[in-house]
Amino acid sequence: MEHTKMKQWVMSSKPKGLVKPTDFRLEEVPIPTIAKGEVLVKTLYLGVAPVMLRYMTNETSFERPMHIGDVMIGRGVGRVVESKSSSFKIGDLLQTKLGWREYGVIKDDPYFMTYNMKNTDLSSSYGVGALGMNGFTAILGMRDIAKVKKGDKVLVSGAAGSVGSMAGFIAKALDCSIVVGIAGGEKKCKLLTEKMGYDAAIDYKAEGLYEKLDHYFPHGIDVFFDNVGGELLDNVLARINRRARIAICGRISEYLIPPEEYHRPKNMYKIGLMDSKMEGFFIYDYQEHYPEYENQLAQWIRQGKIIPYEDIGQGIENMPEALISLYKGTKGGTRMVKIEM
């Protein structure tokens, strides 16, 4: 190996409110050696997601607690460059919990949620989004939870995010009659209709959100793929059709407020009244389906039914800014950083 040192980001302070640059520190350390059952992975791309703030403040039940000085947690795509594992060989393209570092050591441990990508004729960056957990989440929620079928009228909230940017394409691939996305700001709404496959977009920051819902869905909503929760979910429930399906993917509107300030729904009764279904889901519970998800999504990409929208930064030095930009709401699609330059 030509280099003996690598760069990595560690958490230097616990965020107070939103993350800021001083919550991270860039270090140069030796490239680690591996033991039996481990592989050394050269990082190609790292993704960022809003949930990373909750990793840093230890507010998730599915991630290990973070302490000051710990390498920042994060998933990415990398190539195996050394292996002492029977599970992976040199050259394998993995999406896994690499952390914010140029080389990651991955063990034969379920914690890492390592997935060996097979559709390597497509861009390796897709392992962060379209052929990674975000794409898998979108197809699981839209196809298997919401069971979108031909002719359905579909609404997606948080539509310009990494999952939402895939959800619209998937709904159209499944022959829905109209798919409408909700996003914040004119720029993001333009992305929805020009780059992300949506038939129409609603700007929740503008006036008349619910009037626009009535305009696009005069006969009601069949499927709602929800990333936002709160008041928006409650108002959509008031507009669902008989046997509507609501897939609860997230509730970003309430991530940064205390439980006592959560919206108290008034229209939950509509689920029973309309013989409908509302179901939450978590992608890590469906690992046995990942190969099928990857193959189906890859097929749609090759057919042009999905055109992944990626926002790619350059260089490990830009990881904090890539994450901070998510909370500023200035980006759309899958936000990632190319590490191998």
Side-chain angles (χ1 to χ4, degrees), residues 183-192 203 309 311 329-332:
E186 184 178 340
K187 182 179 178 180
K188 283 187 175 181
C189 286
K190 191 174 181 180
L191 282 176
L192 292 187
D203 182 358
Y309 188 82
D311 189 313
T330 58
K331 303 293 183 178

Side-chain angles (χ1 to χ4, degrees), residues 95 114-119 130-133 136 139 143 283 286-299 302:
Q95 50 163 290
T114 302
Y115 179 70
N116 195 345
M117 296 180 65
K118 300 303 181 185
N119 291 272
L131 299 180
M133 293 302 153
F136 295 172
I139 191 172
R143 187 193 66 181
I283 189 59
Y286 295 83
Q287 294 181 57
E288 69 273 18
H289 298 292
Y290 290 178
E292 190 274 325
Y293 295 159
E294 183 192 0
N295 288 334
Q296 178 61 82
L297 292 167
Q299 180 182 336
R302 293 188 188 101

Side-chain angles (χ1 to χ4, degrees), residues 9 23 39 81 117 121 134 160 164 215 277 284 308 319:
W9 283 98
D23 292 328
V39 295
V81 293
M117 296 180 65
D121 59 303
N134 296 312
H215 169 74
K277 180 181 79 169
Y284 285 5
M319 287 301 300

Side-chain angles (χ1 to χ4, degrees), residues 2 10 13 54 60 109 130-131 174 177 183 187 206 225 229 249 258 298 320 333 341:
E2 56 188 63
V10 300
S13 62
R54 299 175 66 209
T60 66
D109 183 334
L131 299 180
L174 294 169
S177 63
K187 182 179 178 180
F225 189 108
C249 182
M341 304 303 292

Side-chain angles (χ1 to χ4, degrees), residues 295-335:
N295 288 334
Q296 178 61 82
L297 292 167
Q299 180 182 336
W300 282 333
I301 290 171
R302 293 188 188 101
Q303 293 171 342
K305 293 183 178 181
I306 292 176
I307 305 172
Y309 188 82
E310 301 175 321
D311 189 313
I312 304 178
Q314 302 291 324
I316 194 169
E317 294 82 4
N318 292 309
M319 287 301 300
E321 179 53 38
L323 178 59
I324 291 167
S325 71
L326 290 180
Y327 302 108
K328 292 179 179 177
T330 58
K331 303 293 183 178
T334 300
R335 180 70 169 147

